[in-house]
């Protein structure tokens, strides 16, 4: 996962809440529901050598269990 | 859902068989797909006819649907507002159903932002509005490079984006799909809806090219 450990900003909360596919796949906590978040990352955060404009960015939805709050 | 997955694995197969040559032996994924499908039918989760019908629905979708959505957004500001707020609901207004239970986020290209869509993990694509993705969209070079060097990828499609325009790459997931709303070309003021829709191509709605006037069109 190229996003692991990278810092992004939450842009939107995706509705409705969705089941936790990873746990569901192993039959654990069946029916657990949480949110996906639309995240914004700067390309320069993802790729230190990024050659394009520093304004370029990436957007992706990530499930709640993969996120960790940080303060900057 | 199952119908979609079936179609995906089938297209993967057609491809690997092509590159593998003349073997008629079923591959690993083909066997897994058949085993899973037969098991689900046997357990009566759905019938064989439902799978056939779903494939028929999948095959009926083409980029012409997306082009209708774009042309409508260009000519109807209230619709465009609704489309950007909730892509799926606005498409459903036009009679485009979402059989796969995905959300749709419509990304508007402007003077300052150019959007590009990709699925780095596999082949997630706004199938309800565009049909099946092109082969290059599913192959690793595009999937990997679109998020690492989008400007170089766009240049290979002949699209040069000025440095003061932000490139925004959206990486699709199983839950959320994207459709790019391209900029309406200059010189199309007053064009009727159908003529506008005819300008809008699949690649423009993926974001690899802008919508262009055909060569020789009156400006």
């Amino acid at each position: 996962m190229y996003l692991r450990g990278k810092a992004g900003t939450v842009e939107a909360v995706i509705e409705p809440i969705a089941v936790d596919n990873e746990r569901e796949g192993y039959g654990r906590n069946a029916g657990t529901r949480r949110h996906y978040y639309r995240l914004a990352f700067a390309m320069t955060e993802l790729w230190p050598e990024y050659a394009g404009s520093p304004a370029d960015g990436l957007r992706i939805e990530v499930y709640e269990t993969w996120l960790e709050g940080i303060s900057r | 859902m199952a119908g979609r997955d079936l179609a995906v694995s089938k297209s993967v197969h057609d491809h690997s068989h092509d590159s593998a040559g003349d073997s008629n032996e079923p591959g690993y994924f083909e066997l897994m797909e058949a085993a899973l499908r037969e098991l689900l039918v046997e357990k009566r989760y759905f019938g064989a006819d439902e799978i056939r019908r779903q494939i028929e629905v999948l095959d009926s979708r083409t980029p012409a649907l997306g082009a209708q959505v774009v042309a409508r957004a260009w000519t109807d500001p209230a619709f465009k507002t609704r489309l950007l707020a909730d892509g799926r609901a606005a498409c459903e207004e036009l009679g485009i159903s979402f059989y796969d239970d995905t959300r749709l986020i419509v990304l508007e290209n402007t003077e300052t932002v150019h959007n590009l869509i990709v699925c780095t993990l596999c082949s997630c694509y706004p199938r309800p509005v565009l049909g099946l993705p092109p082969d290059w969209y599913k192959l690793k070079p595009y999937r990997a490079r679109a998020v690492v060097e989008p400007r170089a990828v766009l240049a290979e499609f002949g699209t040069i984006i000025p440095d003061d325009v932000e490139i925004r790459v959206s990486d699709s997931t199983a839950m959320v799909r994207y459709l790019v709303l391209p900029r309406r070309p200059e010189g199309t003021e007053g064009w009727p809806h159908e003529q506008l829709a005819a300008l809008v191509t699949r690649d423009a709605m993926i974001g690899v090219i802008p919508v262009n006037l055909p060569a020789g069109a009156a400006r």
Side-chain angles (χ1 to χ4, degrees):
Chain A
M1 274 292 275
Y2 64 98
L3 297 173
R4 192 184 292 259
K6 305 294 183 185
T9 310
V10 174
E11 218 174 43
V13 181
I14 304 295
E15 299 288 353
I17 54 172
V19 296
D20 184 340
N21 288 320
E22 285 143 22
R23 284 182 161 266
E24 201 80 13
Y26 292 96
R28 292 203 296 260
N29 291 8
T32 303
R33 285 170 180 269
R34 289 173 186 240
H35 280 103
Y36 279 86
Y37 292 85
R38 181 160 176 77
L39 304 181
F41 293 89
M43 283 294 187
T44 48
E45 160 77 8
L46 304 181
W47 323 108
E49 311 287 303
Y50 186 70
S53 157
D56 291 355
L58 181 109
R59 301 292 185 279
I60 190 171
E61 280 69 39
V62 178
Y63 198 62
E64 199 164 330
T65 49
W66 286 93
L67 301 177
E68 204 172 73
I70 53 170
S71 52
R72 322 208 217 193
Chain B
M1 187 71 183
R4 182 183 51 152
D5 293 341
L6 173 67
V8 171
S9 66
K10 182 174 179 298
S11 65
V12 165
H13 277 289
D14 289 343
H15 187 80
S16 58
H17 277 247
D18 286 347
S19 46
D22 54 4
S23 166
N24 287 320
E25 293 292 309
Y28 171 81
F29 291 105
E30 205 165 338
L31 288 172
M32 288 296 280
E33 179 276 314
L36 184 64
R37 171 166 43 82
E38 285 169 15
L39 196 62
L40 290 169
V41 169
E42 200 175 296
K43 287 183 171 291
R44 297 173 190 271
Y45 283 101
F46 43 70
D49 185 60
E50 284 176 88
I51 299 174
R52 182 207 56 75
R53 188 150 35 91
Q54 187 58 34
I55 293 172
E56 207 170 48
V57 170
L58 283 164
D59 287 345
S60 73
R61 303 303 174 98
T62 73
L65 290 170
Q68 291 293 328
V69 173
V70 169
R72 176 77 185 271
W74 282 348
T75 53
D76 180 345
F79 176 79
K80 180 176 147 184
T81 303
R82 295 197 297 280
L83 182 70
L84 295 176
D86 185 339
R88 175 169 165 169
C91 288
E92 285 169 342
E93 261 182 55
L94 300 186
I96 301 169
S97 63
F98 279 63
Y99 50 77
D100 58 4
D101 205 28
T102 50
R103 310 302 306 167
L104 182 71
I105 293 179
V106 176
L107 307 162
E108 183 185 15
N109 281 350
T110 66
E111 278 180 19
T112 55
V113 176
H114 181 90
N115 288 284
L116 176 68
I117 67 174
V118 63
C119 174
T120 53
L121 283 180
C122 49
S123 57
C124 294
Y125 189 72
R127 291 164 192 248
V129 282
L130 292 187
L132 299 178
D135 283 343
W136 54 260
Y137 185 87
K138 298 183 282 187
L139 297 177
K140 279 186 181 165
Y142 177 76
R143 286 160 42 202
R145 295 181 58 225
V147 294
V148 177
E149 45 176 8
R151 287 176 185 269
V153 171
L154 287 168
E156 286 165 24
F157 282 94
T159 304
I160 306 295
I161 303 295
D163 278 344
D164 59 352
V165 173
E166 173 187 344
I167 304 252
R168 211 173 273 172
V169 181
S170 286
D171 190 355
S172 314
T173 60
M175 293 291 295
V176 181
R177 306 297 164 83
Y178 310 106
L179 181 76
V180 174
L181 173 58
R183 295 174 67 194
R184 179 173 174 167
E186 284 175 25
T188 58
E189 294 73 23
W191 281 30
H193 177 92
E194 285 310 318
Q195 201 179 345
L196 287 170
L199 293 175
V200 184
T201 64
R202 176 194 71 194
D203 290 358
M205 292 180 279
I206 297 174
V208 292
I209 57 165
V211 169
N212 293 310
L213 289 179
R219 278 182 183 260

